[in-house]
Amino acid sequence: MNESTNGPAKIRLENLVKRFPGQAKPAVDSLSMEIPEGEIVILVGPSGCGKTTTMKMINRLIEPTSGRIFLEDEDVTKVDADQLRRRIGYVIQQIGLFPHMTIAQNIATVPRMLGWKRDRIAARVDELLETVGMDPATYRGRYPKELSGGQRQRIGVARAMSADPDVMLMDEPFGAIDPITRDRLQNEFLRLQAEMKKTIIFVTHDIDEAIKMGDRIAILREGSHIAQFDTPEQILVHPADDFVADFIGRGASLKRLGLSRVHDIELSEWPTVREDASRSEALRVIEGSDKSSALVLDSANRPRRWVAAEHLRRAGEEPLGSIGLPTDAVVQPHATLSDALNEMLTARYSCAIVVGNDGAYLGIVDIDTINDAMRSMRSVERGRMRDRLIGEDDHATEVGE
């Protein structure tokens, strides 16, 4: 089955086969597909379907039994495997940092192999640490054991990007991290990808992660046979068959919240007050709104506290920045509506605060915002179904004539 896309292909697989000794069936059976340049393509499917084997054949960590792999029209099954792997970034679930090396030395592994000069390597290490949100002065000299799991995963991503590869392979990169850190790392990576536009093949077993992370998703059956290769939206709205529908599972409407991002919707407003304002001013702001609290912002417009009328009445001479409750449920514009909803479910005021990359307040997402987005999705879906039915009727009429 040859699956292709409309954009230029960065990677092309042709009749790829992998047979392991002693196994009756091939792990990958005549797989052909095209990976568009600059997109994240997710390989997802049940355990044992061959998705990780497929990905590892692309950088020849596993050698294919037969078939061809093209990288920018070059047949890389015929080139030196070590040289190929230095052209492709690779991130795995277990991270694989060298424990005896500092963070800087870990990130510099491939540039050193490529013969980069010391000054260039040092500059690249610091650039990547800043890119993944870790202060170079603080972290470059530390060792992996001194980092949290989420921090180690960030370093794994930085190391994969060290030689600025056009292609990255990611094998369940966020699978071994707690759910909160996982959401944040996913969002951070999507923000980076919006700037980098790498071509990424991403393996996961989690359909929700696939919907959130992928520009396209390949749902695989046993033997890496493609059941459907399409955009997340098309897979949710038009599953190819019962296998795909069953794999997606129930709750497709909620899953569609993973397709829309906070920056795609109009944010709601909440009463705000500066932390140097008086308590009486804050009380006037609350009483002049339909909310029971105000959001306290610092001098850089960053959210700091929630203050309700009862906090203001009880407080003595403390400034606004010292009373009330700390802010919770904070998301950035690249977060999905599903992320925002998850945050809202445990938030004090049933809303998520939206901040920019600099932490400055932009607005909020509340349940009304989510409901409006769901209604809009349903309206768009009904329109597409109507257009599809009209198209089928027109086609039937042409055939009849």
Side-chain angles (χ1 to χ4, degrees), residues 134-250:
M134 298 175 71
D135 177 43
T138 302
Y139 291 103
R140 71 165 79 92
R142 292 189 180 179
Y143 287 86
K145 67 180 180 181
E146 300 176 84
L147 306 184
S148 68
Q151 289 172 331
R152 288 197 296 272
Q153 196 65 55
R154 287 179 184 227
I155 298 304
V157 171
R159 186 176 64 180
M161 295 191 297
S162 60
D164 198 20
D166 291 335
V167 174
M168 292 179 65
L169 306 180
M170 307 185 76
D171 189 3
E172 303 213 38
F174 310 123
I177 303 171
D178 68 89
I180 293 175
T181 304
R182 184 185 194 193
D183 280 343
R184 290 174 181 166
L185 285 178
Q186 288 170 340
N187 293 336
E188 179 70 11
F189 187 79
L190 288 171
R191 183 188 67 79
L192 292 175
Q193 171 63 1
E195 301 171 2
M196 299 183 304
K197 294 295 183 184
K198 303 290 185 185
T199 303
I200 298 170
I201 300 175
F202 187 119
V203 166
T204 181
H205 67 280
D206 183 345
I207 187 62
D208 292 320
E209 181 171 59
I211 290 166
K212 176 177 180 177
M213 300 296 292
D215 295 299
R216 299 175 199 268
I217 301 173
I219 297 182
L220 304 179
R221 307 177 194 268
E222 184 181 3
S224 278
H225 290 290
I226 296 174
Q228 188 167 356
F229 184 28
D230 214 327
T231 63
E233 185 174 18
Q234 283 298 311
I235 287 173
L236 285 175
V237 175
H238 303 301
D241 55 23
D242 289 342
F243 175 86
V244 174
D246 288 343
F247 191 80
I248 294 170
R250 303 178 71 177

Side-chain angles (χ1 to χ4, degrees), residues 263-277:
H263 60 54
D264 296 328
I265 61 173
E266 184 176 350
L267 301 180
S268 299
E269 288 299 326
W270 196 277
T272 62
V273 62
R274 295 288 182 178
E275 63 182 351
D276 58 358

